[in-house]
Coordinates of all heavy atoms in Angstrom, one line a residue:
M13 N 62.0 124.3 83.4 CA 62.2 123.0 83.5 C 63.4 122.4 82.7 O 64.4 121.8 83.3 CB 61.0 122.2 83.2 CG 61.2 120.7 83.2 SD 60.6 120.1 84.8 CE 60.3 118.5 84.5
V14 N 63.4 122.9 81.4 CA 64.7 122.6 80.6 C 65.9 123.4 81.1 O 66.9 122.7 81.1 CB 64.3 122.9 79.2 CG1 65.6 122.8 78.3 CG2 63.3 122.1 78.6
Q15 N 65.6 124.7 81.6 CA 66.7 125.4 82.1 C 67.3 124.6 83.5 O 68.6 124.6 83.6 CB 66.2 126.8 82.5 CG 67.3 127.7 82.9 CD 68.4 128.0 82.0 OE1 68.2 127.9 80.8 NE2 69.5 128.2 82.3
Q16 N 66.5 124.1 84.2 CA 66.9 123.4 85.4 C 67.8 122.2 85.2 O 68.7 121.9 85.7 CB 65.6 123.1 86.3 CG 66.0 122.6 87.6 CD 66.8 123.4 88.6 OE1 66.6 124.6 88.7 NE2 67.8 122.8 89.1
L17 N 67.2 121.5 84.2 CA 68.1 120.3 83.7 C 69.4 120.7 83.1 O 70.3 120.0 83.4 CB 67.2 119.4 82.7 CG 66.0 118.8 83.2 CD1 65.1 118.2 82.0 CD2 66.3 117.7 84.1
R18 N 69.5 121.8 82.5 CA 70.8 122.2 81.9 C 71.6 122.6 83.1 O 72.9 122.2 83.1 CB 70.7 123.4 80.9 CG 69.9 123.0 79.6 CD 69.9 124.3 78.7 NE 69.4 123.7 77.4 CZ 68.8 124.5 76.5 NH1 68.6 125.8 76.9 NH2 68.3 124.0 75.4
E19 N 71.2 123.2 84.0 CA 72.0 123.7 85.2 C 72.4 122.5 85.9 O 73.6 122.3 86.4 CB 71.2 124.6 86.0 CG 71.0 126.0 85.5 CD 70.2 127.0 86.3 OE1 70.0 126.7 87.5 OE2 69.6 128.0 85.7
D20 N 71.5 121.5 86.1 CA 71.8 120.3 86.8 C 73.0 119.5 86.1 O 74.0 119.0 86.7 CB 70.6 119.3 87.0 CG 69.7 119.9 88.0 OD1 70.0 121.0 88.8 OD2 68.5 119.4 87.9
L21 N 72.9 119.5 84.7 CA 73.9 118.7 84.0 C 75.2 119.4 84.1 O 76.3 118.9 84.1 CB 73.4 118.8 82.5 CG 72.6 117.5 82.1 CD1 72.0 117.8 80.6 CD2 73.1 116.3 82.4
R22 N 75.2 120.8 84.0 CA 76.4 121.6 84.2 C 77.1 121.3 85.5 O 78.2 121.1 85.7 CB 76.1 123.1 84.1 CG 76.1 123.6 82.7 CD 76.1 125.1 82.5 NE 75.4 125.5 81.4 CZ 74.2 126.1 81.4 NH1 73.7 126.7 82.5 NH2 73.5 126.5 80.4
G23 N 76.2 121.3 86.6 CA 76.7 120.9 88.0 C 77.3 119.5 88.0 O 78.4 119.3 88.5
L24 N 76.7 118.5 87.3 CA 77.1 117.2 87.3 C 78.4 117.1 86.4 O 79.3 116.4 86.9 CB 76.2 116.3 86.7 CG 74.9 115.9 87.7 CD1 73.8 115.2 86.7 CD2 75.2 115.2 88.9
N25 N 78.6 117.8 85.4 CA 79.8 118.0 84.6 C 80.8 118.5 85.3 O 82.1 118.0 85.5 CB 79.6 118.8 83.3 CG 78.9 117.9 82.2 OD1 78.9 116.7 82.2 ND2 78.2 118.6 81.2
Q26 N 80.6 119.5 86.2 CA 81.7 120.1 87.0 C 82.1 119.2 88.2 O 83.3 119.0 88.3 CB 81.1 121.4 87.7 CG 82.1 122.1 88.5 CD 83.3 122.6 87.6 OE1 83.2 123.2 86.6 NE2 84.6 122.4 88.0
Q27 N 81.3 118.4 88.8 CA 81.5 117.4 89.7 C 82.4 116.3 89.1 O 83.3 115.9 89.7 CB 80.3 116.7 90.3 CG 79.5 117.7 91.2 CD 78.2 117.0 91.8 OE1 78.0 115.9 91.4 NE2 77.6 117.8 92.7
L28 N 82.0 115.9 87.8 CA 82.9 114.8 87.1 C 84.2 115.4 86.9 O 85.2 114.6 87.0 CB 82.2 114.4 85.9 CG 81.0 113.4 86.0 CD1 80.3 113.2 84.5 CD2 81.5 112.2 86.6
E29 N 84.4 116.6 86.5 CA 85.7 117.2 86.3 C 86.6 117.2 87.4 O 87.6 116.9 87.5 CB 85.6 118.6 85.6 CG 85.1 118.5 84.2 CD 84.9 120.0 83.6 OE1 85.3 121.0 84.2 OE2 84.2 120.1 82.6
N30 N 85.9 117.7 88.5 CA 86.5 117.7 89.8 C 87.0 116.3 90.3 O 88.1 116.1 90.8 CB 85.6 118.3 91.0 CG 85.5 119.8 90.7 OD1 86.0 120.3 90.0 ND2 84.4 120.2 91.3
L31 N 86.1 115.3 90.0 CA 86.4 113.9 90.5 C 87.6 113.4 89.6 O 88.5 112.8 90.1 CB 85.2 112.9 90.2 CG 84.2 113.0 91.3 CD1 83.0 112.2 90.8 CD2 84.7 112.5 92.7
E32 N 87.6 113.7 88.3 CA 88.8 113.3 87.3 C 90.0 113.9 87.9 O 91.1 113.3 87.9 CB 88.4 113.7 85.9 CG 87.4 112.9 85.3 CD 87.1 113.3 84.0 OE1 87.0 114.5 83.6 OE2 86.8 112.4 83.1
A33 N 90.0 115.3 88.3 CA 91.1 116.0 88.7 C 91.7 115.2 89.9 O 92.9 115.0 90.1 CB 90.8 117.4 88.9
G34 N 90.8 114.9 90.9 CA 91.1 114.3 92.1 C 91.8 112.9 91.9 O 92.9 112.6 92.4
L35 N 91.2 112.1 90.9 CA 91.8 110.9 90.6 C 93.1 111.1 89.9 O 94.0 110.2 90.1 CB 90.8 110.1 89.5 CG 89.5 109.6 90.2 CD1 88.6 109.1 89.2 CD2 89.9 108.5 91.3
D36 N 93.3 112.0 89.1 CA 94.6 112.3 88.5 C 95.7 112.6 89.6 O 96.9 112.0 89.3 CB 94.6 113.4 87.4 CG 93.8 113.0 86.1 OD1 93.6 111.9 85.9 OD2 93.6 114.1 85.4
Q37 N 95.3 113.4 90.4 CA 96.2 113.7 91.6 C 96.5 112.4 92.4 O 97.7 112.2 92.7 CB 95.6 114.7 92.5 CG 95.6 116.1 91.9 CD 94.9 117.1 92.9 OE1 94.3 116.8 93.8 NE2 94.9 118.4 92.5
Q38 N 95.6 111.7 92.6 CA 95.8 110.4 93.5 C 96.8 109.4 92.7 O 97.7 108.8 93.2 CB 94.6 109.7 93.7 CG 93.8 110.3 94.9 CD 92.5 109.4 95.3 OE1 91.8 109.1 94.4 NE2 92.3 109.2 96.6
R39 N 96.4 109.3 91.3 CA 97.3 108.4 90.5 C 98.8 108.9 90.5 O 99.7 108.2 90.6 CB 96.7 108.5 89.2 CG 97.5 107.6 88.0 CD 97.1 107.8 86.7 NE 97.7 109.1 86.3 CZ 97.1 110.0 85.5 NH1 95.9 109.7 85.1 NH2 97.7 111.2 85.3
D40 N 98.9 110.3 90.4 CA 100.3 110.8 90.4 C 101.0 110.5 91.8 O 102.1 110.1 91.8 CB 100.4 112.3 90.3 CG 99.9 112.6 88.8 OD1 100.0 111.6 87.8 OD2 99.5 113.7 88.5
R41 N 100.2 110.6 93.0 CA 100.8 110.3 94.3 C 101.1 108.9 94.3 O 102.2 108.5 94.9 CB 99.9 110.8 95.4 CG 99.8 112.3 95.6 CD 99.1 112.6 96.9 NE 97.8 112.2 96.8 CZ 96.7 113.0 96.6 NH1 96.9 114.3 96.4 NH2 95.4 112.6 96.6
L42 N 100.3 108.0 93.9 CA 100.5 106.6 93.9 C 101.8 106.2 93.1 O 102.6 105.4 93.5 CB 99.3 105.8 93.6 CG 98.3 105.8 94.5 CD1 96.9 105.0 93.9 CD2 98.7 105.1 95.9
R43 N 101.9 106.8 91.9 CA 103.0 106.6 91.0 C 104.3 107.1 91.8 O 105.3 106.3 91.7 CB 102.9 107.3 89.7 CG 103.9 107.0 88.7 CD 103.7 107.8 87.4 NE 103.7 109.2 87.6 CZ 104.8 110.0 87.8 NH1 106.0 109.5 87.8 NH2 104.7 111.2 88.0
L44 N 104.3 108.1 92.4 CA 105.5 108.6 93.1 C 105.8 107.7 94.3 O 107.0 107.4 94.4 CB 105.3 110.1 93.6 CG 105.2 111.1 92.5 CD1 105.1 112.5 93.1 CD2 106.6 111.2 91.9
R45 N 104.8 107.1 95.0 CA 105.0 106.3 96.1 C 105.6 105.0 95.5 O 106.6 104.4 96.1 CB 103.7 106.0 96.9 CG 103.4 107.0 97.9 CD 102.2 106.3 98.7 NE 101.4 107.4 99.1 CZ 100.3 107.3 99.5 NH1 99.6 106.2 99.5 NH2 99.7 108.3 100.1
G46 N 105.1 104.6 94.4 CA 105.7 103.4 93.9 C 107.2 103.4 93.5 O 108.0 102.6 93.6
L47 N 107.5 104.7 92.8 CA 108.8 104.9 92.4 C 109.7 104.9 93.8 O 110.8 104.3 93.7 CB 109.0 106.3 91.7 CG 108.4 106.3 90.3 CD1 108.5 107.7 89.8 CD2 109.2 105.3 89.4
R48 N 109.3 105.7 94.8 CA 110.0 105.6 96.1 C 110.2 104.2 96.6 O 111.3 103.9 97.1 CB 109.4 106.5 97.1 CG 109.5 107.9 96.8 CD 109.0 108.8 97.9 NE 108.4 109.9 97.4 CZ 107.0 110.4 97.5 NH1 106.3 109.7 98.3 NH2 106.6 111.5 97.0
L49 N 109.2 103.4 96.6 CA 109.3 102.1 97.0 C 110.3 101.3 96.2 O 111.2 100.5 96.8 CB 108.0 101.3 97.1 CG 107.0 101.8 98.2 CD1 105.6 101.1 98.0 CD2 107.5 101.3 99.5
Q50 N 110.3 101.4 95.0 CA 111.3 100.8 94.1 C 112.7 101.2 94.4 O 113.6 100.4 94.4 CB 111.1 101.1 92.6 CG 109.8 100.3 92.0 CD 109.6 100.7 90.6 OE1 109.9 101.6 90.1 NE2 108.7 99.9 90.0
Q51 N 112.8 102.4 94.7 CA 114.1 103.0 95.0 C 114.6 102.4 96.4 O 115.8 102.0 96.5 CB 114.1 104.5 95.2 CG 114.1 105.3 93.8 CD 113.9 106.7 93.9 OE1 113.4 107.2 95.0 NE2 114.1 107.4 92.8
L52 N 113.6 102.4 97.4 CA 114.0 101.7 98.6 C 114.5 100.3 98.5 O 115.4 99.8 99.1 CB 112.9 101.9 99.7 CG 112.5 103.4 100.2 CD1 111.4 103.3 100.9 CD2 113.8 103.9 101.0
I53 N 113.6 99.7 97.8 CA 113.8 98.2 97.6 C 115.2 98.0 96.8 O 116.0 97.1 97.3 CB 112.8 97.5 96.8 CG1 111.5 97.4 97.6 CG2 113.1 96.1 96.3 CD1 110.2 97.0 97.0
G54 N 115.4 98.8 95.8 CA 116.7 98.7 95.1 C 117.8 99.1 95.9 O 118.9 98.5 95.9
G55 N 117.6 100.1 96.8 CA 118.6 100.5 97.7 C 119.0 99.5 98.7 O 120.1 99.2 99.0
S56 N 118.0 98.8 99.2 CA 118.1 97.8 100.2 C 118.9 96.7 99.5 O 119.9 96.1 100.1 CB 116.8 97.2 100.7 OG 116.1 98.2 101.3
R57 N 118.7 96.4 98.3 CA 119.4 95.2 97.6 C 120.8 95.7 97.5 O 121.8 94.9 97.6 CB 118.9 94.9 96.3 CG 117.5 94.2 96.5 CD 116.9 93.8 95.1 NE 115.7 93.2 95.2 CZ 114.6 93.4 94.4 NH1 114.8 94.1 93.3 NH2 113.5 92.9 94.5
V58 N 121.1 96.9 97.0 CA 122.4 97.4 96.9 C 123.1 97.3 98.1 O 124.4 97.0 98.4 CB 122.4 98.7 96.2 CG1 123.8 99.4 96.2 CG2 122.0 98.6 94.8
E59 N 122.6 97.8 99.3 CA 123.1 97.8 100.4 C 123.4 96.5 100.9 O 124.5 96.2 101.5 CB 122.2 98.6 101.5 CG 122.1 100.1 101.4 CD 121.2 100.7 102.2 OE1 120.5 100.1 103.1 OE2 120.9 101.9 102.1
K60 N 122.5 95.5 100.8 CA 122.7 94.1 101.2 C 124.0 93.6 100.4 O 124.9 92.9 101.1 CB 121.5 93.3 100.9 CG 121.6 91.9 101.4 CD 120.4 91.1 101.0 CE 120.6 89.7 101.5 NZ 119.4 88.8 101.3
K61 N 124.1 93.8 99.1 CA 125.2 93.4 98.4 C 126.6 93.9 99.0 O 127.5 93.2 99.0 CB 125.1 93.7 96.8 CG 124.0 92.9 96.2 CD 124.5 91.5 95.6 CE 123.5 90.9 94.9 NZ 123.5 89.5 94.8
G62 N 126.5 95.3 99.2 CA 127.7 95.9 99.6 C 128.0 95.4 101.0 O 129.3 95.1 101.3
L63 N 127.1 95.0 101.9 CA 127.4 94.5 103.2 C 128.0 93.1 103.1 O 128.8 92.7 103.8 CB 126.1 94.5 104.2 CG 125.6 95.9 104.6 CD1 124.4 95.8 105.4 CD2 126.8 96.4 105.6
E64 N 127.4 92.3 102.2 CA 127.9 90.9 101.9 C 129.4 91.0 101.6 O 130.3 90.3 102.0 CB 127.2 90.3 100.9 CG 125.8 89.8 101.4 CD 124.8 89.3 100.4 OE1 125.2 89.4 99.2 OE2 123.7 88.9 100.7
R65 N 129.8 92.0 100.6 CA 131.2 92.1 100.1 C 132.0 92.5 101.2 O 133.3 92.1 101.4 CB 131.2 93.2 98.9 CG 130.6 92.6 97.7 CD 131.0 93.5 96.4 NE 130.4 94.8 96.5 CZ 129.3 95.1 96.0 NH1 128.5 94.2 95.4 NH2 128.8 96.4 96.1
L66 N 131.6 93.4 102.0 CA 132.3 94.0 103.3 C 132.7 92.9 104.2 O 133.6 92.6 104.7 CB 131.4 95.2 103.9 CG 132.1 95.7 105.1 CD1 133.5 96.2 104.8 CD2 131.2 96.6 105.9
A67 N 131.6 92.0 104.5 CA 131.8 90.8 105.3 C 132.9 89.8 104.7 O 133.7 89.4 105.5 CB 130.4 90.2 105.5
T68 N 132.8 89.6 103.4 CA 133.7 88.8 102.9 C 135.2 89.4 102.9 O 136.1 88.6 103.3 CB 133.3 88.5 101.3 OG1 132.0 87.9 101.3 CG2 134.2 87.6 100.6
S69 N 135.1 90.6 102.6 CA 136.6 91.2 102.7 C 137.1 91.2 104.1 O 138.3 91.0 104.4 CB 136.5 92.7 102.2 OG 136.0 92.8 101.0
M70 N 136.2 91.4 105.2 CA 136.7 91.3 106.6 C 137.1 90.0 106.8 O 138.1 89.7 107.6 CB 135.5 91.8 107.4 CG 135.2 93.2 107.4 SD 133.8 93.8 108.2 CE 134.6 93.7 110.0
K71 N 136.5 88.9 106.3 CA 136.8 87.5 106.6 C 138.2 87.3 106.0 O 139.0 86.7 106.7 CB 135.8 86.4 106.1 CG 134.6 86.5 106.9 CD 133.7 85.5 106.2 CE 132.3 85.7 107.1 NZ 131.2 84.8 106.3
S72 N 138.4 87.7 104.8 CA 139.7 87.6 104.1 C 140.8 88.4 104.9 O 141.9 87.8 105.1 CB 139.6 88.1 102.6 OG 138.9 87.3 101.9
L73 N 140.5 89.5 105.3 CA 141.4 90.3 106.1 C 141.9 89.6 107.3 O 143.1 89.6 107.7 CB 140.9 91.7 106.4 CG 141.8 92.7 107.1 CD1 143.0 93.0 106.2 CD2 141.0 93.9 107.4
E74 N 140.8 89.1 108.0 CA 141.1 88.4 109.2 C 142.0 87.1 108.9 O 142.9 86.8 109.7 CB 139.9 87.9 109.9 CG 140.0 87.0 111.2 CD 140.8 87.9 112.4 OE1 140.6 89.2 112.4 OE2 141.2 87.3 113.2
A75 N 141.6 86.4 107.9 CA 142.5 85.2 107.5 C 144.0 85.6 107.2 O 144.9 84.9 107.7 CB 142.0 84.4 106.4
S76 N 144.1 86.7 106.6 CA 145.4 87.3 106.2 C 146.2 87.7 107.5 O 147.4 87.4 107.6 CB 145.2 88.5 105.3 OG 144.8 88.1 104.1
R77 N 145.5 88.2 108.5 CA 146.0 88.7 109.6 C 146.7 87.4 110.5 O 147.8 87.4 110.9 CB 145.0 89.5 110.5 CG 145.7 90.2 111.9 CD 144.5 90.6 112.8 NE 143.7 89.7 113.2 CZ 144.0 88.6 114.2 NH1 145.1 88.7 114.8 NH2 143.1 87.7 114.6
R78 N 145.9 86.5 110.5 CA 146.2 85.2 111.2 C 147.5 84.6 110.5 O 148.5 84.1 111.1 CB 145.1 84.2 111.2 CG 144.0 84.6 112.3 CD 143.0 83.3 112.5 NE 142.4 82.9 111.4 CZ 141.2 83.3 111.1 NH1 140.5 84.1 111.9 NH2 140.6 83.0 110.0
A79 N 147.4 84.6 109.1 CA 148.6 84.1 108.5 C 149.9 84.9 108.6 O 150.9 84.3 108.8 CB 148.3 84.1 106.8
V80 N 149.7 86.3 108.8 CA 150.8 87.0 109.1 C 151.4 86.8 110.6 O 152.6 86.6 110.8 CB 150.6 88.6 109.0 CG1 151.5 89.4 109.5 CG2 150.5 88.9 107.5
E81 N 150.6 86.6 111.5 CA 150.8 86.2 112.8 C 151.6 84.8 112.9 O 152.7 84.7 113.5 CB 149.6 86.1 113.7 CG 149.1 87.4 114.2 CD 147.9 87.3 115.0 OE1 147.6 86.2 115.4 OE2 147.2 88.3 115.3
E82 N 151.1 83.9 112.1 CA 151.8 82.6 111.9 C 153.2 82.8 111.3 O 154.2 82.0 111.8 CB 151.0 81.5 111.3 CG 149.6 81.2 111.9 CD 150.0 80.4 113.2 OE1 150.8 79.7 113.3 OE2 149.2 80.7 114.2
A83 N 153.3 83.5 110.4 CA 154.5 83.8 109.7 C 155.6 84.4 110.8 O 156.9 84.1 110.7 CB 154.4 84.7 108.5
H84 N 155.1 85.4 111.5 CA 155.8 86.0 112.5 C 156.4 85.0 113.5 O 157.7 85.0 113.9 CB 155.3 87.1 113.2 CG 155.2 88.4 112.5 ND1 156.3 89.1 112.2 CD2 154.1 89.1 111.9 CE1 155.9 90.2 111.5 NE2 154.6 90.2 111.3
K85 N 155.4 84.1 113.9 CA 155.9 83.1 114.9 C 156.9 82.1 114.4 O 158.0 81.7 115.0 CB 154.6 82.2 115.3 CG 153.7 83.0 116.2 CD 152.6 82.0 116.7 CE 151.5 82.9 117.3 NZ 150.3 82.0 117.6
A86 N 156.7 81.7 113.1 CA 157.6 80.9 112.4 C 159.1 81.5 112.2 O 160.0 80.9 112.4 CB 157.1 80.6 111.0
M87 N 159.0 82.8 111.9 CA 160.3 83.5 111.7 C 160.9 83.8 113.1 O 162.3 83.5 113.2 CB 160.0 84.9 111.4 CG 159.6 85.0 109.7 SD 160.8 84.5 108.7 CE 161.7 86.0 108.7
A88 N 160.2 83.9 114.2 CA 160.8 83.9 115.5 C 161.3 82.6 116.0 O 162.5 82.6 116.5 CB 159.7 84.3 116.6
N89 N 160.8 81.4 115.6 CA 161.2 80.2 115.9 C 162.6 79.9 115.2 O 163.5 79.3 115.6 CB 160.3 79.1 115.6 CG 159.2 79.0 116.6 OD1 159.2 79.5 117.7 ND2 157.9 78.5 116.2
L90 N 162.5 80.3 114.0 CA 163.9 80.3 113.1 C 165.0 81.0 113.7 O 166.2 80.5 113.6 CB 163.6 80.6 111.6 CG 162.7 79.7 110.8 CD1 162.4 80.3 109.5 CD2 163.5 78.3 110.7
Q91 N 164.7 82.1 114.3 CA 165.9 83.0 114.8 C 166.4 82.4 116.1 O 167.4 82.8 116.6 CB 165.4 84.3 114.9 CG 165.1 85.0 113.5 CD 164.6 86.4 113.8 OE1 164.3 87.0 114.8 NE2 164.5 87.2 112.6
L92 N 165.5 81.7 116.7 CA 166.0 81.0 118.0 C 167.1 80.0 117.7 O 168.0 79.7 118.1 CB 164.9 80.5 118.9 CG 163.9 81.4 119.3 CD1 162.7 80.5 120.2 CD2 164.5 82.4 120.4

């Protein structure tokens, strides 16, 4: 009877160790997922900022192009 209880306790201890190992693995996987999500979110923010700067630069470039066209027209009128 005592021998059976000892064997049962060993089995339960082994199951607990297996559960702990499984939980450790799950924790590590979740931690890695969290890090990946942070990178994606951070990357999205960086990309968004970059796109905003690109849009601003393109607007400035377009305004400059129009100014150059107007300058060419003015120069052409002066030469007439």
Side-chain angles (χ1 to χ4, degrees):
M13 177 92 156
V14 173
Q15 183 63 28
Q16 183 62 41
L17 288 173
R18 285 184 181 154
E19 288 176 18
D20 289 347
L21 279 176
R22 279 191 212 116
L24 288 172
N25 280 333
Q26 185 61 48
Q27 287 178 357
L28 280 175
E29 288 175 14
N30 292 341
L31 286 172
E32 285 176 328
L35 288 173
D36 287 343
Q37 289 175 349
Q38 283 183 313
R39 185 194 66 226
D40 291 341
R41 282 194 296 264
L42 287 173
R43 186 181 57 78
L44 288 174
R45 270 191 214 159
L47 290 174
R48 283 189 217 120
L49 283 172
Q50 285 177 343
Q51 289 172 343
L52 289 173
I53 290 168
S56 295
R57 287 182 186 148
V58 168
E59 288 173 4
K60 183 179 178 185
K61 292 272 186 199
L63 289 174
E64 288 171 354
R65 284 193 299 268
L66 179 61
T68 300
S69 295
M70 290 176 72
K71 288 177 186 175
S72 291
L73 184 60
E74 181 61 24
S76 297
R77 185 190 63 78
R78 283 194 301 262
V80 168
E81 284 179 6
E82 291 298 318
H84 280 297
K85 287 179 189 175
M87 292 290 281
N89 287 338
L90 287 175
Q91 290 178 358
L92 291 178

